[in-house]
Structures are given as structure tokens and as C-alpha cells.
Amino acid sequence: MSKKDICSYDYEELREEIERIGEPSFRSRQIYEWLHVKLTDRFQDMTNLSKKLRERLCEEYEIAKVEVIEHQVSKMDPTEKFLFELGDGNMIESVLMRYSYGNSVCISSQAGCRMGCRFCASTIGGLKRNLTPSEMLRQIYQIQRLSKERVSNVVVMGTGEPLDNYDNFVKFIRMLSDGHGLHISQRNITASTCGIVPNIHRLASEGLQITLALSLHGATQEKRRQLMPVADRYSLEEVLEACDVYFRKTGRRVTFEYSLVAGVNDGPDDVRDLTAILKDRNCHVNLIPVNPVKERDYRKPNSKIALDFENKLEKNGINVTIRRERGSDIDGACGQLRRRYAAANVRRTR
Ligand code: SAH
């Protein structure tokens, strides 16, 4: 019989589970604290539980394995990258970025991805599987433990499409922000989606306060389709409408991400089209000069073109920033560490 994934039980579910196995409810509070506050990864270390209970937990439950395989520290900026191995051998990556306002961790929501965005390294090997809530949480827990520094912000912008793993993702958000756990404010959590419209609508009704980031990358339906296969399923108009609903229902301003790709979406008509769709929206635009991916031949525009693009949007009254690149010396960008690791393993096993 496979062991139960104890870190994916939320506070209430753990209480029911521990009562079900005949233990008093204060035990579940202790266990929850070991798992989600003290960030323990072994039942043996839960020293205020009886030896008998610890042994029982060991037999019937597991603390999801998220084990550091590689840890890279950037020499250029205060950024660190972690490659983790999961219980079934899948690899995922996370990034720690230190800012003046606190430490931010970028996590993966799936092992691989099936969305197929043309410039993205994470989608190249396809989707392996969804991550469980515990596997999403424990990326953050491991980083907080190893760095011995508090994580105050979380972005779900690593490998995977969170809204393609909807239930686990929403549960993860609730557990991460729960006062019984790390208690990270939902306002300090951002989740990025390629635009799965029905699930944006669902998310808008969850009563959450997280920031939604929408990967736009093209300001017309045609342009978007060139870069993102998901645009074949949902029109630009539907995606923008869903973002408006998200803003109306949550009061949270949506961020639009726009990866600048030289010669593809960085021209004067692109600025014009982008202005046209965003000028009456209360939003923020994040320009990301595309990170070159070995397997693809997309390039970033030179910095003058990127700055011009930003200035023109700004002049048109649009709230915009260019995302400063972090950790480029450590495969810092977008699924590249996991990719390099996968490629190296293929070579080794041949
Ligand atoms: N599936 C989610 C999260 C993906 S990663 C989404 O699509 O939004 C977060 C952001 O990085 C997305 O906007 C994604 O399009 C972008 N991205 C992926 N690969 C990139 C690359 N090589 N260069 C720049 N941005 C990239």
C-alpha cells in the first residue's frame, strides 16, 4: 500500500485524519506545526510525539520528498537556484531572489508542461505530471530551511501551468497563506498563467487575494497564436475579459507579462496594438526580454529597442517595467537548469 502524502492535508483534514486513527486532536496541531512551521522532513524528529506514534506515522504516511540535487549561487546578484528531485525521480527547479522588500521564491507547479509556448524551455519535454500541494509547499520550505532566511513572497512562475493543475494549486495557496503554517500573505503571492480562461473565472471566485499575472506576449490574436498554442483555444478577447472579471471580483490589479522577442513582437505596431488593448485597463505590464533557450532560435531585442518599447507604453499612460534579468550565470531563467540536467542525463544513459 502506498503511503499517504501527509503534507498535502490541510489543517482541518489533518485533524480529521489524526482523530480517525484514534489520536487526540492536539496531536494533529503538533504534527501540523512540525510539518508547516518547523519544516521538518522526518517523523523521527517530531520529539514531542510518542515513539509509538512516530513509528505509526512512518509506516502509514510520507513527507513528500523534495530533495536538493543541485544548488547554484549567482555571482552577479543575490539569486540562488535549486534543482530538486521528487519521490518518483522527476526533477523540478525553484529560484530564491533577495530583494530590498524581502526574499522571493519562484516555484514550479508541474514537472514539465504541456502548454507548448514556443520560447519556453519548460515545455520542451512535455508534461510529466502535476505537483501535489506538498511538493509545491516543500520547495519553499526547503529553501527557507537551507537559507535560514524567511521567505516573504512567492511567485508561481517556474515550470508548469498552475491553472492546468487547478485543485492542487488552489489548495497550495490556501495552505501557504494559512495562519497555522508559513502564513505568507496572499497579497505577496503571484501566480502566472498562459490564459486558461475557464480557470481564471474559477480563480476569480475563490475569494483569494493573490496577484494574477497573465502571459500575454502578443497584442493581437494572430501574434499571440504565433507564440502560444493556448491562444488557439481561447481568443485574446476572452482572455482579457477573464482578467477584467478577476480584477472586478478580487480588486487585485492584473499584471500582464510580455516577453520581448526580437523581430517578432517588439516593433512599432506591437506597441500600438498593446497600447490599444491596455490603455483603459487598470493593470501593470512586465516586459521580459526573452531569455534565449538553446533549443530555440528566439533572441532578445537590444536594450535600446526594449527601452523604447517601455518608454512608448509609459507615454501612453501604461504602467510598465522591464524585468531585470537575475541569475543568468546560473541557468536562472525559465526551466533552463532542469533542461540542462535532463539533457546531461540523456547523454549519460546513451
Ligand atoms: N505557465 C505559466 C508560468 C510560466 S513561466 C505562464 O505561462 O504564465 C512565467 C513567465 O515566463 C511566463 O510569462 C512565460 O511565458 C515566461 N517565459 C517562459 N520562457 C521564457 C523565456 N525563455 N524568456 C522570457 N520569458 C519566458
Side-chain angles (χ1 to χ4, degrees):
M1 198 188 74
S2 68
K3 294 185 179 183
K4 295 181 183 169
D5 173 16
I6 197 167
C7 242
S8 285
Y9 288 91
D10 66 23
Y11 191 72
E12 196 49 35
E13 288 167 343
L14 188 69
R15 194 181 57 74
E16 284 165 18
E17 179 70 12
I18 296 301
E19 268 178 17
R20 194 188 58 75
I21 65 169
E23 292 288 331
S25 65
F26 75 92
R27 288 290 181 216
S28 95
R29 283 199 296 278
Q30 291 175 320
I31 297 169
Y32 201 90
E33 188 181 22
W34 280 112
L35 294 172
H36 299 282
V37 179
K38 298 178 182 161
L39 314 182
T40 310
D41 52 11
R42 300 185 332 157
F43 291 115
Q44 299 91 296
D45 297 340
M46 301 184 176
T47 45
N48 56 2
L49 307 184
S50 70
K51 189 153 174 285
K52 201 162 132 273
L53 177 57
R54 277 183 270 161
E55 278 166 7
R56 173 148 194 208
L57 292 174
C58 265
E59 275 163 29
E60 293 178 29
Y61 302 88
E62 66 186 359
I63 302 175
K65 177 177 158 186
V66 178
E67 189 184 309
V68 183
I69 293 294
E70 200 174 312
H71 176 198
Q72 302 182 336
V73 181
S74 171
K75 293 187 182 66
M76 296 161 68
D77 44 54
T79 299
E80 299 179 20
K81 185 127 194 180
F82 299 83
L83 184 73
F84 293 115
E85 185 173 18
L86 306 178
D88 62 357
N90 269 304
M91 300 281 180
I92 54 170
E93 59 183 75
S94 322
V95 189
L96 164 66
M97 292 160 287
R98 296 186 182 80
Y99 292 101
S100 53
Y101 56 78
N103 285 356
S104 180
V105 168
C106 172
I107 66 141
S108 298
S109 56
Q110 296 178 313
C113 183
R114 56 177 178 160
M115 294 298 127
C117 297
R118 307 269 182 246
F119 46 81
C120 180
S122 299
T123 201
I124 290 170
L127 176 67
K128 302 294 181 212
R129 68 169 172 86
N130 283 330
L131 299 190
T132 56
S134 56
E135 288 166 336
M136 289 184 250
L137 289 167
R138 288 180 43 73
Q139 295 171 57
I140 301 158
Y141 296 178
Q142 294 292 47
I143 291 178
Q144 176 153 314
R145 242 164 45 121
L146 287 165
S147 67
K148 301 190 175 64
E149 293 171 34
R150 205 178 93 80
V151 173
S152 57
N153 293 64
V154 170
V155 296
V156 187
M157 288 192 184
T159 299
E161 167 51 48
L163 300 191
D164 188 38
N165 181 15
Y166 187 86
D167 293 339
N168 288 344
F169 163 70
V170 168
K171 189 172 192 190
F172 154 77
I173 298 289
R174 293 198 200 284
M175 289 176 74
L176 182 63
S177 52
D178 183 352
H180 299 102
L182 273 199
H183 202 185
I184 294 184
S185 161
Q186 288 180 1
R187 289 167 171 260
N188 292 349
I189 304 173
T190 298
S192 177
T193 177
C194 62
I196 300 186
V197 168
N199 287 350
I200 298 178
H201 286 287
R202 266 175 93 188
L203 190 66
S205 304
E206 295 282 354
L208 299 174
Q209 277 292 295
I210 62 170
T211 300
L212 181 70
L214 189 280
S215 296
L216 192 58
H217 307 321
T220 62
Q221 172 64 3
E222 233 359 86
K223 272 279 157 78
R224 213 165 170 259
R225 279 184 59 194
Q226 274 178 33
L227 293 169
M228 308 174 74
V230 70
D232 293 335
R233 281 200 273 157
Y234 308 107
S235 70
L236 178 59
E237 207 181 317
E238 288 173 295
V239 173
L240 293 173
E241 159 70 15
C243 291
D244 292 345
V245 169
Y246 190 85
F247 176 56
R248 262 205 314 278
K249 288 207 176 155
T250 62
R252 303 291 295 155
R253 199 173 66 162
V254 173
T255 296
F256 290 99
E257 292 163 283
Y258 191 97
S259 295
L260 284 167
V261 187
V264 175
N265 65 0
D266 64 344
D269 23 336
D270 298 302
V271 178
R272 191 199 57 214
D273 294 339
L274 194 55
T275 305
I277 60 173
L278 298 184
K279 69 177 187 327
D280 295 326
R281 292 190 150 87
N282 186 352
C283 64
H284 184 88
V285 177
N286 216 331
L287 299 174
I288 319 165
V290 76
N291 288 298
V293 170
K294 208 172 82 241
E295 292 86 344
R296 302 276 187 267
D297 56 4
Y298 291 118
R299 285 175 305 106
K300 64 177 76 175
N302 68 39
S303 55
K304 183 177 174 311
I305 289 183
L307 281 172
D308 269 4
F309 201 96
E310 182 190 28
N311 284 336
K312 283 189 191 142
L313 289 176
E314 216 158 43
K315 280 211 187 87
N316 287 314
I318 292 172
N319 214 304
V320 55
T321 42
I322 298 187
R323 189 186 295 170
R324 201 164 61 80
E325 192 176 40
R326 282 267 195 149
S328 54
D329 59 327
I330 51 166
D331 304 303
C334 311
Q336 313 229 33
L337 173 59
R338 176 174 169 273
R339 207 47 230 143
R340 177 169 63 66
Y341 205 84
N345 272 343
V346 169
R347 275 199 298 280
R348 241 180 276 147
T349 51
R350 263 195 196 136

